[in-house]
Amino acid sequence: MTDASRAPVPGPGPGSGHDPALRASHADREAVADRLREAAGDGRLDIEELEERLERAFAAKTYGELAPLTADLPGEPLTGATGPQAEEPLVLRAGAGDVTQTGHWHVPRHISATSLMGNVTIDFSQAECRVREVLLEVRVSIGDVTLIVPPGWTVRAHGVRAYVGSVRNKAVEPPAPGAPTLEVTGSAGMGNVRIRYPNRWELWRRKAG
């Protein structure tokens, strides 16, 4: 008789099967995290559910621990984006230096910004955004993460947990019809998360350039 506890169960990838006792890799955990973020972007998970499942995903050691996290989600994530740029997540990591994403670029549905001791700046003011909702996950240790958005964008940062650091959202003007929504989640340890519109110097430099 086959031991049911050892029977293969659906793994983190669509259409795949794995022994639940096998050890999961970093890539397996990231794949599950991507599906969870996709589900949150589609409205299938709220912020609390997303945070809880992401923590369990990154702490998982086996396929058996990963499989339940996506068991109630569609096998093929649904997206409203068009073009390959919108489907590939943007990952920014700052160790001791600074990382800046600015100018003209394509905004994907998912962005991950990690700041250890350095600073991460993401400037959306000249970016091309073809999706209605962008999920941005921040992980701040000591450095800062600064988000610059155009007027009219909706920014929701209540999903960021602040410990010693702080979260300040100054992008609070009324939303423009059809403008994107930026959903910010994650945590601020000893660093800070700043969300604002372009300042006068940045606007002047853009016109001068």
Side-chain angles (χ1 to χ4, degrees):
M1 180 179 297
T2 303
D3 186 351
S5 65
R6 302 284 295 182
V9 298
S16 62
H18 296 281
D19 186 323
L22 291 178
R23 289 275 176 164
S25 68
H26 291 308
D28 295 321
R29 286 184 281 270
E30 286 292 344
V32 170
D34 285 343
R35 286 191 59 190
L36 294 174
R37 297 185 189 106
E38 189 78 36
D42 290 333
R44 301 180 191 277
L45 300 174
D46 59 30
I47 295 301
E48 290 75 17
E49 290 174 314
L50 174 62
E51 284 291 317
E52 178 188 357
R53 295 196 189 194
L54 284 175
E55 288 184 5
R56 290 170 59 190
F58 289 120
K61 293 181 173 60
T62 65
Y63 287 118
E65 293 174 281
L66 286 176
L69 302 179
T70 56
D72 58 348
L73 302 177
E76 293 295 332
L78 302 176
T79 64
T82 58
Q85 300 95 340
E87 299 301 329
E88 299 175 359
L90 173 64
V91 179
L92 303 174
R93 300 177 185 273
D98 297 339
V99 175
T100 301
Q101 179 74 28
T102 188
H104 181 268
W105 56 286
H106 293 272
V107 180
R109 291 178 62 89
H110 302 133
I111 302 174
S112 173
T114 302
S115 171
L116 299 178
M117 297 178 62
N119 304 303
V120 177
T121 300
I122 307 177
D123 187 350
F124 294 89
S125 56
Q126 291 182 288
E128 182 177 348
C129 187
R130 300 179 182 178
V131 294
R132 294 295 300 273
E133 185 163 322
V134 180
L135 182 62
L136 197 161
E137 183 182 0
V138 298
R139 299 291 177 187
V140 185
S141 295
I142 299 178
D144 294 338
V145 171
T146 300
L147 310 177
I148 306 171
V149 299
W153 279 40
T154 298
V155 182
R156 296 196 292 257
H158 54 270
V160 182
R161 293 173 296 178
Y163 297 97
V164 179
S166 64
V167 180
R168 296 182 182 178
N169 181 12
K170 296 184 178 181
V172 293
E173 293 183 4
T181 294
L182 183 63
E183 190 80 47
V184 188
T185 68
S187 61
M190 298 179 64
N192 307 293
V193 178
R194 302 283 185 264
I195 307 165
R196 61 175 177 83
Y197 300 120
N199 57 37
R200 292 182 179 179
W201 163 249
E202 291 163 340
L203 292 174
W204 178 85
R205 185 174 57 181
R206 188 178 307 157
K207 290 180 180 180

